[in-house]
Amino acid sequence: MWLACSKAPEAASPASPTGAAEGAQAAVGAEPAAVPSLARKYADFFPIGAAVNSRTLKSHADLLVQHFNSITAENEMKFESVQPTEGNFTFGPADEMVAFARQHGMKMRGHTLVWHRQTPDWVFSNGAGGNASKEVLLARLEKHIATVVGHFKGSVYVWDVVNEAIMDDGKFRTAEEQEPDQRSKWHGILGTSYIAAAFRAAHAADPGAKLFYNEYRNYLPAKRQAVYEMLKGLLADGVPVHGVGLQAHLSTEQSTDPSNHAYYQSIEELEKTIQLYASLGLEVHVTEVDMSVYVPGQKYEPSQFLTVETFTPELEARQAERYGQFFELFRKHQQAITSVTFWGIADDETWLSQFRSRRTDFPLLFDTKHRPKQAFERIMKF
Ligand code: GLA
């Protein structure tokens, strides 16, 4: 289900016509001050991005144009979207995003070339019920990357080349992980060699593009270290890697359970991560920031799911406070951090409300009516 999106308030529109409004202004007094632009406020730090899909590109266009100067396709550049069946490349929805970015002078991030999810089964299949051979899978990986990166050459300036190759415990993600949706057939067939091969293929297709490794929960010490070792190894082998993406799907509260990943979701741990990756001379992009209002690992009954009514100003203030702390950290490390992207635009459309649980979440800077939340005010205050 996709919620219909309300129109952004007039005040948020950069180009709201003044004629009629001036008449009203005379009658009711001063017009509310226009909401200042987030991207403009951060112009001396880093571009501010948002993940978009084909709907939000239209329904949230006013917010996008006013507050963001970079976009990422939420799904439209993923393997299953651009090559659903072998050799049939479909670029229409992604091309629309590229055109939007160009029209509004925004940067376009490319996401993502090689991932264990959202990749069609044919990629790993020999067509006779078994796995593709190493040679066939490598050829498919190379053809996919050459075609996709080649298509967007000159439009997409940075690619998340490989997404999520390492598990929370620091081991490479294999084809034998317990949960089926955690398994990587890339690794199952090619071992870790698919990672370097993907970066090399991307570089060959567009030598001017920046190439990133993207990962989640990088604040976990074991995972942080494993990603570091992997990147260090790739660089030592002369593999063209230019940066690391920190997804940064955050939560308003850390977990109090040491066995839960969010126990480590602190400013201190994320700072160590940024410093460690920067020590390799790599750029850091925060690629998918949002902030769930639920505590990871805690069980919630449907009756405890928050709604627009029960997401109180106090809860919003708590979220704003934590957003403020993370953005302070990002600004502090502006030498290393060269882009910060939100995974969505406003609370009326977020993967967290659509994902698995169906519980409504409120993770972004703008509310379901596209009005700036306290978190917006907070990260604008410095
Ligand atoms: C990961 C991926 C994103 C997106 C989110 C939420 O973080 O990198 O592309 O799919 O999961 O689903």
Side-chain angles (χ1 to χ4, degrees):
M1 178 196 66
W2 304 108
L3 299 175
C5 303
S6 54
K7 204 186 163 314
E10 283 289 322
S13 167
S16 55
T18 48
E22 271 160 21
Q25 191 180 341
V28 298
E31 240 187 318
V35 179
S37 162
L38 179 63
R40 230 168 284 146
K41 178 80 179 173
Y42 277 84
D44 292 339
F45 292 88
F46 29 70
I48 299 284
V52 299
N53 58 49
S54 296
R55 291 175 307 278
T56 57
L57 196 63
K58 297 184 175 65
S59 56
H60 295 56
D62 287 357
L63 285 181
L64 279 173
V65 171
Q66 191 186 359
H67 294 290
F68 300 89
N69 51 5
S70 174
I71 56 174
T72 303
E74 190 174 352
N75 292 302
E76 292 73 3
M77 291 187 186
K78 288 176 181 168
F79 208 126
E80 67 176 11
S81 302
V82 290
Q83 198 187 174
T85 57
E86 187 156 22
N88 295 314
F89 288 88
T90 50
F91 292 118
D95 283 345
E96 272 185 42
M97 293 172 182
V98 167
F100 185 94
R102 180 161 298 140
Q103 186 190 345
H104 297 288
M106 297 167 153
K107 290 176 172 293
M108 183 86 221
R109 294 193 85 262
H111 175 85
T112 178
L113 297 169
V114 179
W115 192 24
H116 62 287
R117 290 180 197 261
Q118 294 184 258
T119 305
D121 290 340
W122 69 259
V123 175
F124 308 107
S125 162
N126 66 0
N131 278 344
S133 67
K134 279 188 182 186
E135 293 69 28
V136 166
L137 182 58
L138 182 62
R140 285 174 179 166
L141 174 143
E142 288 174 341
K143 181 176 175 199
H144 181 78
I145 293 178
T147 309
V148 175
V149 175
H151 178 83
F152 293 109
K153 187 173 174 180
S155 307
V156 165
Y157 82 105
V158 54
W159 279 100
D160 292 333
V161 177
V162 175
N163 200 25
E164 304 179 350
I166 291 179
M167 300 294 288
D168 285 357
D169 62 4
K171 299 204 177 77
F172 279 102
R173 178 186 299 281
T174 70
E176 276 82 49
E177 304 304 332
Q178 218 170 353
E179 301 287 326
D181 66 353
Q182 292 292 335
R183 297 176 188 156
S184 170
K185 285 209 162 185
W186 294 111
H187 188 281
I189 298 172
L190 292 171
T192 57
S193 71
Y194 78 91
I195 300 170
F199 279 96
R200 290 205 161 101
H203 187 64
D206 183 358
K210 292 188 175 182
L211 306 180
F212 275 56
Y213 173 72
N214 194 42
E215 188 57 90
Y216 66 113
R217 300 182 186 165
N218 315 62
Y219 41 79
L220 285 169
K223 194 171 197 175
R224 164 172 67 225
Q225 192 62 28
V227 168
Y228 169 82
E229 300 295 346
M230 177 189 75
L231 293 169
K232 200 172 156 189
L234 291 171
L235 291 169
D237 291 345
V239 177
V241 184
H242 310 114
V244 202
L246 313 183
Q247 292 187 6
H249 293 294
L250 305 169
S251 48
T252 297
E253 303 294 339
Q254 283 180 248
S255 173
T256 51
D257 170 6
S259 70
N260 187 282
H261 70 88
Y263 181 82
Y264 294 93
Q265 199 192 88
S266 65
I267 302 295
E268 294 71 29
E269 294 295 348
L270 203 60
E271 178 159 42
K272 285 185 200 160
T273 302
I274 295 166
Q275 289 168 328
L276 190 64
Y277 297 163
S279 75
L280 288 170
L282 294 170
E283 288 182 49
V284 176
H285 282 189
V286 181
T287 52
E288 308 186 14
V289 71
D290 52 15
M291 192 180 285
S292 172
V293 298
Y294 299 94
V295 184
Q298 197 163 304
K299 278 251 174 281
Y300 293 87
E301 297 301 325
S303 63
Q304 296 171 298
F305 291 176
L306 292 166
T307 63
V308 170
E309 288 72 36
T310 56
F311 180 52
T312 59
E314 290 71 32
L315 289 172
E316 212 192 300
R318 173 75 197 109
Q319 181 186 48
E321 188 50 35
R322 195 151 149 90
Y323 253 121
Q325 293 163 354
F326 278 105
F327 270 74
E328 201 178 315
L329 175 73
F330 300 158
R331 291 194 303 273
K332 178 175 169 192
H333 291 283
Q334 59 166 310
Q335 291 301 330
I337 297 179
T338 48
S339 172
V340 175
T341 291
F342 289 85
W343 206 247
I345 307 155
D347 286 346
D348 58 331
E349 183 144 345
T350 155
W351 71 290
L352 291 170
S353 297
Q354 290 147 5
F355 197 61
R356 291 185 189 147
S357 66
R358 297 257 149 222
R359 78 188 172 193
T360 311
D361 213 328
F362 303 89
L364 296 161
L365 298 185
F366 298 92
D367 72 10
T368 56
K369 297 264 192 299
H370 297 193
R371 294 169 302 205
K373 291 162 63 183
Q374 293 182 46
F376 173 87
E377 313 290 346
R378 183 62 189 74
I379 69 166
M380 291 289 280
K381 212 179 283 168
F382 61 89

